């Protein structure tokens, strides 16, 4: 329900949202100092050192555990994951700096991303009467977070789940630009003010403003349309930061679930920038530091000059999955009756340098064990090993499994309707380069590793011409490669600019992708039922909700008529299909629908 704004502002102005850190000892830098010079003593100004710690894009990673591989997480870079590691780092810094001088923040995307979060959203949901406390709430409460911003993935399971999660937190979930669609008043707490006591000087007031991603309006339209709106980060920061300064904030920190690149994946579908954290720093005066999220990149320190004041604003993004911890060191000086930020510096710490905090391990060992048992349930058997290793450049049977399941579900859903006679085609992406369904017993974790997102299924109505335009856009994923040139599969795609999840197969058609041609002219020899594709032919397009709502900015699909949709995850539909079949045999779903060519000659 909308926030009682008048009551909230009054309370925050006095006590920092009702939470002041009272009785705190002064930081060493805040101690009075007397410096002697020849002839007379000179009194030095009071100083205070504040440390702000930050995580982002935790995506349900409590432990350094890969539920899809049923083993400790490892990668080539030697990274480690999980809040249990972050807790150890936080404890160390609090011991060094004094807990009373440290803030701990998060920049969003907390309750989606692993089987752990799925389990407590769908299998043993926190929304059930007498249901459990979400493991991420338990962990973050135990570590002692001060505030967190809303991420876009917070909305993936619906507003009821999000609100229940919010109620289980012992710190505020902030989103100044998540507003009631009708009143445009804040639907979540916009900010919080924390007060730090300094011996012999007035307290330091630190305001934390939370901002989330405008893309929620597209990506989770089914849950938020008509209920919530998400205006741009820059305009909302410009609205709130002056208010925070007027309330006496000496330091303003923004926790933004928005990358720093200034780009948007959704093109012109929204009038707001997706990755606008640096624009906020550049355009809005009086911000001292920005904790960046959403982009899953590592930024130890990015300095942005505010165009109105010339002041430097420091940004940091701690990668994702609790692999890093951002550390902002903020120095203040008390002169002329007020605190002034003298300097800000940031860095990131690597969680692979420490062990798990045994307190977190003990706290959540039971929840972890339940999820491990769940994902290791056997639901069928496979006649051969299926893998995504080559799926981004070859039509792989493992992706055909996804498209086949989607086709079957949509056909069943439309049976008896006026659309039942239309051909169904289906879209899927090679999300992972390492997913494997082994020959023999097939478990839920095998199938979950194939479809790592909690997407749901939608049926859209497209014409043949629109489908071809869709394929052309998808084919931009590949690097133009001249006929006869050496093909390096690791350099064959534009993965840096177009991630694998934004490359789509389309089943039910046959087509070539000529990568010797320029983008926009690559789709050749498109046929349906052995005949050239008719531009006017109507198709039912089975597509995930992310793409159906405009994710990836694929043409036509977002505006196409919607024939049907559901709330059951595609991952669940795959598990149901395999369970019903009992045996996973590629003969039932595999087909070569597309191939890469160069001037008509197959690449592979």
């Amino acid at each position: 329900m909308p926030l009682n704004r008048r009551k909230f502002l009054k309370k925050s102005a006095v006590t920092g949202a009702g939470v002041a850190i009272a009785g705190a000892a002064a930081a060493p830098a805040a101690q009075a100092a007397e410096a002697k010079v020849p002839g007379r003593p000179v009194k030095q100004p009071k100083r205070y050192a504040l440390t702000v710690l930050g995580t982002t894009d935790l995506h349900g990673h409590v432990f350094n555990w890969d539920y899809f591989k049923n083993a400790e997480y490892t990668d080539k870079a030697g990274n480690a994951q999980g809040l249990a590691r972050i807790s150890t780092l936080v404890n160390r810094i609090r011991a060094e700096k004094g807990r009373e001088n440290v803030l701990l923040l998060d920049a969003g995307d907390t309750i989606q991303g692993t089987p752990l979060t799925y389990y407590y959203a769908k299998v043993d949901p926190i929304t059930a009467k007498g249901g459990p406390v979400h493991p991420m709430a338990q962990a973050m409460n135990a570590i002692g977070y001060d505030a967190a911003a809303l991420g876009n993935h917070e909305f993936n399971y619906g507003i009821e789940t999000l609100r229940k999660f919010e109620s289980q937190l012992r710190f505020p979930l902030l989103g100044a630009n998540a507003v009631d669609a009708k009143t445009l008043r804040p639907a979540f707490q916009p900010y919080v003010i924390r007060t730090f006591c300094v011996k012999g000087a007035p307290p330091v007031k630190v305001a934390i403003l939370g901002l989330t991603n405008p893309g929620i309006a597209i990506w989770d339209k089914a849950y938020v349309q008509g209920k919530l709106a998400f205006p741009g980060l820059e305009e909302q920061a410009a609205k709130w930061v002056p208010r925070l300064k007027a309330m006496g904030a000496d330091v303003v920190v923004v926790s933004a679930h928005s990358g720093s690149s200034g780009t948007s994946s959704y093109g012109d579908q929204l009038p707001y920038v997706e990755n606008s954290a640096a624009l906020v720093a550049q355009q809005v005066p009086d911000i001292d530091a920005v904790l960046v999220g959403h982009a899953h990149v590592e930024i130890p320190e990015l300095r942005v000059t505010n165009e109105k004041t010339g002041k430097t604003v420091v940004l940091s993004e701690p990668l994702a999955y609790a692999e890093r911890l951002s550390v902002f060191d903020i120095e203040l000086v008390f002169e002329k009756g007020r605190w002034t930020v003298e300097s800000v510096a940031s860095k990131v710490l690597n969680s692979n340098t420490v062990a798990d905090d045994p307190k977190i391990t003990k706290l959540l060992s039971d929840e972890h064990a339940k999820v491990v048992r769940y994902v290791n349930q056997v639901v069928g058997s496979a006649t051969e090993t299926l893998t995504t290793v080559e799926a981004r450049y070859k039509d792989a049977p493992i992706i055909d499994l996804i498209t086949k399941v989607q086709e079957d579900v949509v056909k069943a859903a439309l049976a008896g309707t006026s659309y039942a006679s239309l051909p169904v085609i289906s879209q899927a992406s090679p999300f992972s380069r390492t997913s494997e369904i082994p020959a023999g017993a097939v478990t839920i974790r095998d199938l979950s590793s194939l479809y790592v997102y909690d997407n749901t299924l939608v049926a859209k109505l497209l014409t043949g011409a629109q489908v071809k335009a869709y394929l052309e856009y998808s084919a931009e994923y590949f690097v133009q490669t001249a006929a006869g040139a050496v093909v390096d599969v690791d350099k064959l795609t534009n993965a840096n600019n177009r991630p694998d999840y934004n490359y789509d197969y389309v089943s039910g058609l046959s087509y070539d992708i000529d990568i010797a041609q320029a983008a926009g002219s690559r789709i050749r020899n498109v046929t349906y039922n052995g005949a050239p594709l008719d531009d006017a032919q109507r198709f039912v397009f089975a597509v995930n909700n992310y793409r159906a709502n405009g994710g990836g900015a694929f043409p036509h699909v977002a505006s196409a008529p919607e024939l049907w949709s559901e709330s059951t995850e595609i991952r669940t539909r795959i598990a149901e299909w395999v369970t019903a079949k009992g045996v996973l045999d590629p003969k039932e779903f595999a087909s070569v629908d597309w191939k890469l060519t160069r001037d008509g000659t197959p690449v592979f």
Side-chain angles (χ1 to χ4, degrees):
M1 60 186 296
L3 197 67
N4 185 329
R5 190 171 170 187
R6 180 177 298 173
K7 180 180 179 181
F8 172 74
L9 293 178
K10 183 177 179 181
K11 184 177 183 183
S12 295
V14 176
T15 67
V19 182
I21 302 179
Q31 302 297 328
E34 294 288 337
K36 293 186 179 292
V37 297
R40 61 187 175 89
V42 177
K43 187 176 182 180
Q44 297 297 313
K46 295 283 187 181
R47 295 185 180 277
Y48 180 70
L50 171 71
T51 299
V52 179
L53 307 178
T55 56
T56 191
D57 296 275
L58 298 171
H59 286 287
H61 289 81
V62 173
F63 298 121
N64 190 50
W65 185 261
D66 188 333
Y67 289 98
F68 302 130
K69 296 187 181 302
N70 199 36
E72 286 274 328
Y73 172 79
T74 60
D75 67 9
K76 292 180 181 178
N79 287 312
Q81 300 178 341
L83 274 174
R85 300 286 181 104
I86 292 295
S87 183
T88 301
L89 288 173
V90 169
N91 290 339
R92 188 181 76 188
I93 293 169
R94 283 172 172 163
E96 293 171 358
K97 307 285 188 178
R99 185 184 179 114
E100 66 277 10
N101 306 307
V102 177
L103 270 174
L104 176 58
L105 310 177
D106 184 78
D109 274 6
T110 303
I111 59 170
Q112 179 279 335
T114 62
L116 180 77
T117 52
Y118 178 80
Y119 186 89
Y120 287 98
K122 294 291 187 177
V123 181
D124 186 10
I126 61 172
T127 53
K129 185 177 181 180
V133 177
H134 199 290
M136 295 302 290
Q138 292 189 58
M140 296 175 82
N141 288 340
I143 295 169
Y145 275 76
D146 291 281
L150 283 165
N152 54 284
H153 283 288
E154 260 64 85
F155 293 84
N156 285 174
Y157 297 117
I159 294 174
E160 182 187 7
T161 297
L162 172 55
R163 289 298 191 186
K164 184 64 176 181
F165 173 70
E166 180 187 28
S167 74
Q168 294 177 340
L169 299 175
R170 295 202 291 265
F171 54 89
L173 197 55
L174 307 178
N177 63 325
V179 300
D180 183 275
K182 295 183 177 65
T183 67
L184 300 185
R185 293 174 179 170
F188 291 82
Q189 189 168 320
Y191 67 88
V192 66
I193 296 177
R194 298 295 195 215
T195 302
F196 292 82
C197 296
V198 181
K199 186 176 181 181
V204 172
K205 292 185 177 180
V206 182
I208 303 105
L209 179 68
L211 297 169
T212 192
N213 205 288
I216 296 165
I218 293 176
W219 304 320
D220 277 301
K221 181 172 67 174
Y223 291 124
V224 303
Q225 189 171 36
K227 299 177 182 177
L228 297 171
F230 302 89
L233 284 81
E234 304 99 306
E235 69 172 66
Q236 291 300 299
K239 171 183 175 180
W240 286 100
V241 172
R243 297 184 185 187
L244 298 175
K245 295 298 288 187
M247 291 177 209
D250 302 299
V251 182
V252 175
V253 179
V254 173
S255 182
H257 193 75
S258 179
S260 62
S261 66
T263 61
S264 298
S265 67
Y266 40 70
D268 60 0
Q269 294 178 84
L270 292 175
Y272 312 116
V273 178
E274 176 183 353
N275 295 300
S276 64
L279 295 174
V280 170
Q282 181 185 57
Q283 296 177 16
V284 182
D286 295 323
I287 295 171
D288 299 292
V290 182
L291 175 63
V292 179
H294 184 61
H296 292 211
V297 297
E298 182 175 343
I299 304 176
E301 182 179 83
L302 174 64
R303 292 182 171 266
V304 175
T305 302
N306 184 270
E307 61 188 12
K308 296 179 181 178
T309 66
K311 176 183 173 181
T312 298
V313 185
V314 175
L315 291 74
S316 181
E317 183 173 3
L319 198 56
Y321 310 141
E323 292 183 355
R324 304 287 187 274
L325 177 71
S326 283
V327 180
F328 296 88
D329 289 309
I330 302 175
E331 299 286 341
L332 295 97
V333 60
F334 188 75
E335 292 181 305
K336 298 179 181 180
R338 60 190 291 266
W339 286 105
T340 302
V341 174
E342 190 171 56
S343 67
V344 182
S346 68
K347 61 185 178 182
V348 296
L349 302 180
N350 196 326
S351 65
N352 70 3
T353 62
V354 296
D356 288 355
D357 181 348
K359 180 178 75 172
I360 305 302
T361 302
K362 181 178 179 181
L363 178 68
L364 291 169
S365 60
D366 288 346
E367 287 82 350
H368 172 68
K370 285 181 182 178
V371 177
V372 169
R373 288 194 296 270
Y374 166 73
V375 299
N376 282 288
Q377 292 179 71
V378 174
V379 294
S381 63
T383 60
E384 61 184 78
T385 296
L386 303 171
T387 176
T388 59
V389 170
E390 298 180 329
R392 65 192 184 278
Y393 52 86
K394 290 183 181 180
D395 189 341
I398 196 170
I399 307 298
D400 294 333
L401 171 62
I402 301 172
T403 60
K404 173 61 174 173
V405 171
Q406 293 179 166
E407 286 176 15
D408 285 358
V409 171
V410 167
K411 286 177 182 177
L414 296 180
T417 73
S418 59
Y419 302 103
S421 62
L422 293 180
V424 177
I425 59 177
S426 182
Q427 157 272 345
S429 304
F431 294 137
S432 167
R433 298 187 179 190
T434 59
S435 179
E436 179 179 289
I437 299 175
V442 175
T443 64
I444 287 176
R445 68 178 171 85
D446 296 325
L447 302 176
S448 297
S449 73
L450 171 61
Y451 211 106
V452 296
Y453 298 105
D454 296 311
N455 293 339
T456 57
L457 192 55
V458 180
K460 291 271 191 166
L461 185 64
L462 293 180
T463 66
Q466 290 173 329
V467 171
K468 186 174 180 181
Y470 189 100
L471 293 173
E472 282 287 8
Y473 180 81
S474 184
E476 292 176 13
Y477 171 73
F478 295 101
V479 173
Q480 188 172 4
T481 308
V486 174
V487 175
D488 181 346
V489 295
D490 291 327
K491 299 178 180 178
L492 190 59
T493 70
N494 290 303
N496 289 335
N497 299 317
R498 178 76 77 87
D500 296 345
Y501 62 75
N502 274 339
Y503 169 61
D504 283 3
Y505 289 36
V506 175
S507 70
L509 304 170
S510 177
Y511 59 97
D512 297 340
I513 304 173
D514 192 333
I515 59 173
Q517 308 305 315
S521 303
R522 292 176 172 173
I523 301 301
R524 305 292 175 87
N525 305 321
V526 188
T527 63
Y528 170 68
N529 271 350
L533 180 67
D534 181 352
D535 285 350
Q537 169 75 58
R538 295 197 305 166
F539 293 93
V540 175
F541 191 39
V543 60
N544 69 56
N545 67 302
Y546 173 79
R547 191 72 79 237
N549 290 336
F554 278 62
H556 304 301
V557 66
S559 59
E562 183 175 304
L563 310 181
W564 171 86
S565 66
E566 68 170 348
S567 59
T568 301
E569 294 80 7
I570 294 169
R571 179 197 299 121
T572 300
R573 290 302 192 191
I574 295 170
E576 290 173 348
W577 193 92
V578 174
T579 302
K581 295 286 184 181
V583 176
L584 194 58
D585 187 345
K587 293 177 182 177
E588 293 192 47
F589 54 82
S591 61
V592 179
D593 298 309
W594 63 273
K595 62 181 181 293
L596 296 185
T597 64
R598 288 184 293 180
D599 292 343
T601 301
V603 176
F604 301 105

